[in-house]
Amino acid sequence: MASDDIALLADALSKTHVGDGELSFKGLGLKLDDAQSVEELVRDIEQFRGLRALRLEGNTVGVEAARAIAKALEDKDQLQRCYWSDMFTGRLRSEIPTALKSLGSALVTAGARLTELDLSDNAFGPDGVKGVEQLLKSPSCHSLRELRLNNCGVGIGGGKILAEALIDCHRKSLAHGSPLRLRVFIAGRNRLENEGASALAKAFQLMGSLEEVHMPQNGINHAGVMALASAMRHNPDLRVLNLNDNTFTKRGTIAMAQALRHLRNVQVINFGDCLVRSEGAIALAAVLREGLPVLKEINLSFGEITEAAALVVAQAVRDKPDMEKVDLNGNCLGEEGCDALREAMEKGDMLGSLSDDEGEPEDEDDDQDDHENEDEEEDDDDDDDDDDDDASDDCNEDGEILNENGTTKKDDSPEKPQSSAEIMSFLSCPSAEKLLQLGETRTNVQQQVHASDPHTAAEILLKISSLYSEQPETKTAVLETIDAVLKKLLSGSDLSSYCFLSTLLVMMGLLKGEGKVKKVPLVPGQLLCLEHAVQQEYFPQHVALLLHTFTSRNSEALESCSSARERLSSTLEKKCH
């Protein structure tokens, strides 16, 4: 090594930070190629007693240099924190796994017990994960609390290797009586996609200890999001969930909403640029109403959310005592929608900027082909045998609705076979005459609707309400049946109620939905049945407010029923105020 290079290295090393058991070479820009180039660095490590943290980020380390550093670490049994991000700039990808294996082996040899490991910004790909695989499986990581792998190009294959390593670590540590309790997991910009995310979800569910999860920009769509949502439910201490710039759509958002219902410690949610859309936003609004008691921040920016759905979110968050920031920028509100949203957010400083609003959405026909293509892609997935409206209550593998305690929900009164056949006949081809023939058993129609299938429930409701007339006997029969159906559908969680209502709004043409849901030609009786229902005790005020928010902003969809629309609007006004 030239004397000038040695002088430069000595000058750089003189700037190292030492304190609180930490030795830092952070950001010195050292080019460490071989053993000679790290002589002074190695000497500093060897002479540091009680080394608990080592910072090497912002330098570039070759294979031979890594081996020399590793040798110096072999007796550092108190080392707990390794900050090794941005450490291989300019190195061949084939070099990095070898260097990482040397460093990892040294920690295992030393008997170190790591609590933090940061390997971010190293772009090492799946092979790099293999380089730390044995370290992650070793006793040195049984105590790991924070793992950072941001921007490493891990990919699907690396995600699977990482997941298996974490699962193996948990299994071994559990056998030793002290299971792995990872608290912070950061792996943004890694191209994990659905397979990688789903593999990691298994590890997350097994550990159940996560407090922060950051996985933005990973090419994950609804299938991967659903797997992660299922895993998050098993992490009750979760405080921060950042999945920015993945693709939720309705299915993923509703699955995540179901998970969030069970979590009481979440403070920050970042679903920005995740295409949650309006139906997803309504589902999240329901969870904001009934749960997430300590939430401080929520980011739903750039999600194709329309004005009415954004207002429903605003109504849900404005009474949350700890809420500090709501980001709805970059959605489809329009100028008047932005003004309405600002007015609705009573705490003006809570709402972030709306400067990048996309304006009011175009007509549904303009996007129809896109929605159909997306629906066809979803049909190719293995999990698409179920309706994409699995959105309300939790279900077991047989599709039966479950109570909060996990037992199966049963209808209160069993149907007689004859009654059931008559009801199915009525629903297949509804008429006022058939409804009257059902007599008192007509209220058993409610046994054919379930919150877990809001599409069928909304379809049945609209069929029955279309039979409304002012003829007293028919009117009574229709309203009694509507009451029985809606009382059941609105008696569950806010999430189940909101998912049903958003589906109903889509079918009525008041909300743009995903997929191929067909609008139902409206008749006045359908609105008059809703007007009756809103006045009943079983119809919650906040559900009426949701309905009012949409009907008041999409009145053109109800032009064919102007008189009934006015009656419904007036009744909603009274209910909401």
Side-chain angles (χ1 to χ4, degrees):
M1 190 176 193
S3 58
D4 289 346
D5 292 337
I6 294 174
L8 288 171
L9 177 58
D11 179 63
L13 292 176
S14 70
K15 300 173 184 176
T16 60
H17 169 73
V18 178
D20 192 28
E22 178 181 289
L23 179 59
S24 175
F25 304 97
K26 179 180 179 180
L28 298 181
L30 302 175
K31 190 172 186 296
L32 307 173
D33 295 321
D34 51 30
Q36 188 180 7
S37 68
V38 293
E39 282 180 354
E40 292 198 35
L41 186 149
V42 165
R43 189 178 305 117
D44 284 348
I45 293 174
E46 289 174 339
Q47 294 176 355
F48 198 108
R49 294 185 179 181
L51 181 64
R52 290 193 292 273
L54 178 61
R55 290 189 174 275
L56 295 174
E57 63 264 56
N59 301 290
T60 177
V61 182
V63 172
E64 294 304 319
R67 286 175 179 156
I69 294 170
K71 187 68 176 175
L73 292 174
E74 287 182 352
D75 64 351
K76 300 301 178 182
D77 60 343
Q78 296 182 51
L79 187 58
Q80 297 176 337
R81 303 186 303 279
C82 295
Y83 303 106
W84 295 348
S85 63
D86 188 20
M87 208 171 75
F88 299 107
T89 300
R91 301 294 171 181
L92 297 175
R93 180 170 287 193
S94 58
E95 294 181 84
I96 301 174
T98 305
L100 289 172
K101 283 179 182 177
S102 297
L103 293 168
S105 296
L107 299 179
V108 176
T109 300
R113 292 293 183 266
L114 296 185
T115 57
E116 296 181 43
L117 178 60
D118 187 355
L119 295 169
S120 299
D121 300 316
N122 279 314
F124 47 49
D127 288 341
V129 182
K130 293 179 182 178
V132 293
E133 183 180 6
Q134 293 309 311
L135 171 62
L136 291 172
K137 291 180 177 181
S138 75
S140 290
C141 284
H142 288 184
S143 52
L144 196 62
R145 296 293 178 264
E146 300 185 15
L147 179 59
R148 294 177 170 85
L149 292 164
N150 202 56
N151 191 30
C152 288
V154 166
I156 294 172
K160 291 180 177 180
I161 295 168
L162 178 60
E164 287 301 320
L166 291 173
I167 290 170
D168 187 77
C169 183
H170 183 273
R171 178 178 57 81
K172 291 176 179 176
S173 60
L174 182 62
H176 283 85
S178 183
L180 172 65
R181 293 190 58 79
L182 193 67
R183 293 173 185 163
V184 177
F185 181 83
I186 300 176
R189 299 183 65 188
N190 272 301
R191 303 192 301 275
L192 292 168
E193 301 183 16
N194 288 340
E195 290 185 62
S198 297
L200 285 165
K202 295 177 182 177
F204 297 162
Q205 182 166 328
L206 186 65
M207 291 184 292
S209 55
L210 289 168
E211 296 178 13
E212 293 188 28
V213 175
H214 301 262
M215 297 175 66
Q217 202 172 342
N218 268 296
I220 307 168
N221 66 29
H222 76 269
V225 172
M226 291 168 75
L228 289 171
S230 180
M232 291 306 107
R233 283 185 55 174
H234 297 270
N235 288 266
D237 296 325
L238 189 69
R239 294 183 294 105
V240 178
L241 182 58
N242 175 8
L243 295 174
N244 188 284
D245 198 8
N246 290 291
T247 306
F248 283 33
T249 62
K250 173 185 172 183
R251 299 185 61 158
T253 310
I254 290 176
M256 197 57 73
Q258 289 174 333
L260 291 170
R261 281 187 65 214
H262 299 271
L263 301 174
R264 309 293 294 176
N265 296 302
V266 177
Q267 297 178 13
V268 178
I269 294 173
N270 187 343
F271 296 161
D273 204 10
C274 283
L275 209 62
V276 301
R277 293 184 173 143
S278 295
E279 289 177 277
I282 292 170
L284 290 171
V287 178
L288 289 166
R289 274 194 51 82
E290 65 181 341
L292 300 170
V294 296
L295 189 67
K296 294 181 178 180
E297 297 181 21
I298 185 166
N299 182 347
L300 298 177
S301 60
F302 299 94
E304 294 189 4
I305 300 170
T306 56
E307 175 193 352
L311 287 171
V312 173
V313 172
Q315 293 157 5
V317 301
R318 61 189 177 192
D319 293 328
K320 301 194 81 65
D322 298 318
M323 185 62 71
E324 297 173 358
K325 183 178 179 181
V326 178
D327 191 346
L328 287 164
N329 196 19
N331 283 297
C332 305
L333 311 182
E335 186 175 346
E336 291 183 4
C338 288
D339 291 339
L341 186 60
R342 292 187 188 101
E343 184 178 345
M345 298 291 288
E346 295 173 354
K347 299 179 184 177
D349 56 347
M350 184 193 301
L351 181 64
S353 169
L354 298 175
S355 60
D356 294 319
D357 185 71
E358 297 285 342
E360 295 182 35
E362 298 177 359
D363 292 340
E364 184 170 356
D365 289 343
D366 295 339
D367 292 329
Q368 187 65 36
D369 290 341
D370 291 341
H371 292 322
E372 290 182 2
N373 290 337
E374 177 182 84
D375 211 52
E376 289 169 2
E377 289 172 5
E378 290 181 349
D379 288 342
D380 292 336
D381 292 337
D382 292 338
D383 61 342
D384 283 357
D385 293 333
D386 298 326
D387 240 334
D388 78 316
D389 300 304
D390 56 349
S392 44
D393 291 287
D394 302 310
C395 303
N396 63 16
E397 293 181 355
D398 297 321
E400 296 175 307
I401 309 167
L402 302 180
N403 291 301
E404 289 292 332
N405 62 7
T407 58
T408 306
K409 292 183 180 180
K410 300 294 183 183
D411 290 318
D412 295 334
S413 54
E415 292 183 62
K416 295 179 181 178
Q418 183 179 358
S419 171
S420 178
E422 291 171 346
I423 288 173
M424 295 307 294
S425 173
F426 162 70
L427 291 176
S428 66
C429 188
S431 68
E433 182 182 3
K434 285 185 178 180
L435 183 63
L436 292 171
Q437 288 174 352
L438 289 175
E440 294 182 359
T441 66
R442 59 178 168 258
T443 56
N444 288 340
V445 170
Q446 58 90 13
Q447 294 178 359
Q448 303 302 318
V449 299
H450 301 285
S452 59
D453 186 1
H455 184 276
T456 299
E459 195 173 50
I460 288 175
L461 183 78
L462 290 171
K463 282 182 178 179
I464 297 169
S465 57
S466 69
L467 304 177
Y468 179 92
S469 80
E470 291 298 332
Q471 197 279 328
E473 192 176 7
T474 300
K475 179 179 179 179
T476 298
V478 169
L479 294 181
E480 283 182 356
T481 310
I482 290 294
D483 283 339
V485 168
L486 280 176
K487 187 174 183 179
K488 177 179 180 179
L489 292 170
L490 300 179
S491 64
S493 67
D494 287 355
L495 179 57
S496 66
S497 298
Y498 278 37
C499 286
F500 159 70
L501 196 58
S502 67
T503 303
L504 181 66
L505 291 168
V506 170
M507 296 180 75
M508 293 174 66
L510 295 169
L511 171 64
K512 181 191 290 188
E514 290 184 13
K516 302 177 182 178
V517 178
K518 299 296 183 183
K519 294 180 185 177
V520 173
L522 295 180
V523 295
Q526 292 161 329
L527 302 188
L528 294 175
C529 284
L530 281 175
E531 189 256 346
H532 160 83
V534 166
Q535 301 174 65
Q536 309 309 308
E537 289 187 7
Y538 65 75
F539 206 102
Q541 184 182 36
H542 64 89
V543 176
L545 180 59
L546 191 161
L547 183 59
H548 181 51
T549 300
F550 277 89
T551 55
S552 63
R553 282 164 176 78
N554 298 279
S555 57
E556 65 280 358
L558 307 177
E559 284 178 350
S560 61
C561 312
S562 57
S563 177
R565 180 192 66 194
E566 292 303 320
R567 282 181 56 178
L568 174 60
S569 177
S570 176
T571 302
L572 285 168
E573 284 277 0
K574 293 176 184 177
K575 181 85 172 190
C576 296
H577 301 95

